[in-house]
Amino acid sequence: MNKKLTLLFFFLSIMASAQKPTLFLIGDSTMANKENPEKNPEHGWGQMLPPFLTSGIEIQNHATNGRSSKSFRTEGRWEKVMSQLKKGDFVIIQFGHNDQKVNDSARFTNPYTQYRANLERYVNEVRAKGAVPILMTSIVRRNFNENGVLVDTHKEYPLVVRMVANDLKVPFVDLQLQTELLEISYGPEKSKKLHLHYRKGEDPYYPEGKDDDTHLSKLGAESVAKLAVYSLKNLKTGLEKYIK
């Protein structure tokens, strides 16, 4: 009898897990999970989301270093998401950093044509599965000029995200704006703490030092994750009930 009960509870737990909605994340390195999180100073903001969500939802972070809206699909990464996507799931879509790579034909997309078409296709395919797409603009780079002004580096790409979100009535989080305000609040010097700035020999993970204004430190990733969660909680997509 005990063995039968054990098997019953096992199958019930599997069924309960299968019925849970899943939050899928697709995007680039600023969102991705990083290896060796206990030693690696770099973190993606999507990596920091689990503590903010309840056990009632699963998280699958498919964001990957160096991917654009184009290469994420051509490499078969989107197919892995689509094969699992079901009614009631959620998909956060955040590309742009690598779509700008004008010297890389595998990643570059024209913002008003290919990039826009790619975003629209992701949105329509998510909706066709009965799931909820959520569009996000890219996080800003730490790019202060000599006058202490934070200068934009993403040009037309965030604008196109806004246009698609407006035209297709897609839930939208403007992380470009929010991270811009975050960087400014820290200022030109202290904002280095949000990114990866190490002198030679300062951190064993970067023995030769590091100066990276795009990718996030643990503090930076946690800060961006908090901004994302706050916005997601106010979107009223159904995801908010799984946010602590």
Side-chain angles (χ1 to χ4, degrees):
M1 179 64 72
N2 286 339
K3 187 175 181 181
K4 289 182 179 179
L5 282 173
T6 300
L7 285 171
L8 176 62
F9 284 125
F10 174 72
F11 286 118
L12 286 174
S13 66
I14 291 177
M15 289 175 63
S17 178
Q19 291 169 357
K20 283 184 182 180
T22 299
L23 172 61
F24 293 92
L25 309 180
I26 67 169
D28 55 46
S29 57
T30 59
M31 178 194 268
N33 293 338
K34 308 298 176 178
E35 61 181 12
N36 301 322
E38 299 303 319
K39 296 180 180 179
N40 188 353
E42 183 182 347
H43 291 69
W45 71 261
Q47 188 173 3
M48 315 308 289
L49 278 182
F52 296 104
L53 300 178
T54 71
S55 59
I57 191 167
E58 302 290 334
I59 301 178
Q60 287 194 28
N61 189 355
H62 289 259
T64 308
N65 292 9
R67 270 57 190 188
S68 72
S69 67
K70 178 181 180 180
S71 64
F72 192 86
R73 183 183 291 273
T74 57
E75 292 176 0
R77 298 176 188 279
W78 179 236
E79 187 178 344
K80 291 180 181 178
V81 174
M82 285 294 288
S83 67
Q84 304 174 70
L85 194 60
K86 63 185 183 301
K87 185 177 180 179
D89 286 344
F90 304 87
V91 183
I92 294 177
I93 304 160
Q94 186 190 52
F95 292 103
H97 273 94
N98 298 298
D99 287 81
Q100 292 183 292
K101 307 290 186 182
V102 70
N103 295 320
D104 187 341
S105 62
R107 295 188 285 180
F108 175 75
T109 60
N110 181 301
Y112 292 115
T113 55
Q114 293 179 63
Y115 182 62
R116 175 166 183 140
N118 288 345
L119 294 182
E120 291 177 343
R121 189 176 174 190
Y122 283 124
V123 166
N124 289 329
E125 289 177 356
V126 170
R127 285 176 166 170
K129 286 273 193 171
V132 178
I134 300 170
L135 285 171
M136 290 189 177
T137 46
S138 298
I139 66 170
V140 299
R141 296 182 176 95
R142 179 186 165 274
N143 186 44
F144 288 93
N145 67 15
E146 64 276 9
N147 298 312
V149 175
L150 187 70
V151 179
D152 173 61
T153 65
H154 287 103
K155 300 181 180 179
E156 304 97 331
Y157 291 88
L159 174 61
V160 172
V161 180
R162 294 181 181 92
M163 291 167 65
V164 173
N166 182 67
D167 292 348
L168 298 187
K169 303 296 182 286
V170 185
F172 169 68
V173 174
D174 196 348
L175 272 190
Q176 182 195 29
L177 171 61
Q178 294 185 32
T179 54
E180 182 178 284
L181 296 174
L182 175 67
E183 299 279 352
I184 292 170
S185 72
Y186 271 77
E189 188 59 32
K190 290 184 179 179
S191 58
K192 289 180 180 179
K193 296 179 181 179
L194 301 172
H195 299 277
L196 305 171
H197 285 265
Y198 299 96
R199 295 184 299 275
K200 185 176 181 178
E202 186 178 358
D203 189 285
Y205 212 83
Y206 303 117
E208 297 302 313
K210 187 82 169 175
D211 285 295
D212 184 338
D213 291 317
T214 296
H215 300 100
L216 299 166
S217 64
K218 187 174 183 181
L219 171 65
E222 286 177 340
S223 300
V224 175
K226 287 177 183 178
L227 293 173
V229 166
Y230 180 80
S231 292
L232 290 168
K233 196 165 189 176
N234 292 313
L235 277 185
K236 308 304 179 187
T237 60
L239 181 60
E240 66 275 3
K241 63 186 175 182
Y242 302 108
I243 297 175
K244 292 179 182 176

